[in-house]
Amino acid sequence: MKVSISDAKARLTDLVRRAEAGEEIILTRHGQAAVRLVVVGAAPDAGQRRALMEKVSRSGAAKATAGPDAVRSQDFLYDDSGLPA
């Protein structure tokens, strides 16, 4: 559905209800599409966020590979006495 911005001013409540119901509302200016009204998704609750973070953490842990120890990763920069090489 396309509606001019000037018409939308008088019908905003109705247009918002229609957008919430899933209808695509395009606001136009001088016949050109300017804005699309869309429904804002519901924010996840704390339990959903925690579950998502645990899922991401498990996924990352499954893909992780053993690499060089971080303590020893810069050893090539120093000589045997600990001075810069």
Side-chain angles (χ1 to χ4, degrees):
M1 168 183 223
K2 292 186 177 183
V3 179
S4 71
I5 292 175
S6 58
D7 290 341
K9 289 178 187 179
R11 302 174 47 196
L12 185 59
T13 302
D14 177 54
L15 294 173
V16 169
R17 284 190 185 124
R18 293 176 93 160
E20 288 173 332
E23 188 172 340
E24 182 178 76
I25 310 294
I26 306 290
L27 301 184
T28 62
R29 178 179 286 135
H30 307 295
Q32 299 296 318
V35 177
R36 180 169 36 123
L37 294 179
V38 295
V39 176
V40 175
D45 64 17
Q48 291 172 325
R49 286 193 304 270
R50 182 179 307 278
L52 177 61
M53 292 303 294
E54 289 172 356
K55 180 180 176 183
V56 169
S57 180
R58 283 192 305 272
S59 174
K63 295 177 185 177
T65 58
D69 185 7
V71 173
R72 300 287 180 199
S73 66
Q74 306 269 322
D75 278 353
F76 69 93
L77 297 174
Y78 303 96
D79 63 15
D80 293 333
S81 61
L83 297 173

